[in-house]
Amino acid sequence: MDHQQLDIDWTSCQGHGLCAELLPDHITLDEWGYPLVDGSPISPRVLKRARRAASDCPALALKLRPAAYDS
């Protein structure tokens, strides 16, 4: 299975918080409204919502990339 990981471009992120609304199991917001990603891989069943969160980010600061595994 191809798991994905979330990355945030901190130079672009403006703390809109939409990503946390779309992926509450993986993203929470800090006290200033900036995302805190839990670091767990995005499973295939959540991938559609994760892609939507990345594409709907007003600042396009959320990215998906292949997850790295320690084998």
Side-chain angles (χ1 to χ4, degrees):
M1 285 203 215
D2 294 323
H3 285 76
Q4 300 284 311
Q5 188 110 17
L6 291 170
D7 276 337
I8 297 172
D9 177 353
W10 292 109
T11 59
S12 298
C13 183
Q14 298 173 2
H16 292 282
L18 182 61
C19 55
E21 289 180 31
L22 294 171
L23 288 173
D25 295 341
H26 291 277
I27 302 173
T28 57
L29 300 178
D30 69 10
E31 60 190 277
W32 299 282
Y34 286 90
L36 300 171
V37 179
D38 70 1
S40 65
I42 303 296
S43 68
R45 70 176 178 80
V46 182
L47 191 54
K48 184 175 180 179
R49 283 191 297 130
R51 284 185 179 135
R52 179 172 173 217
S55 68
D56 287 358
C57 174
L60 298 177
L62 189 65
K63 308 287 183 208
L64 283 167
R65 64 171 172 81
Y69 288 100
D70 294 326
S71 300

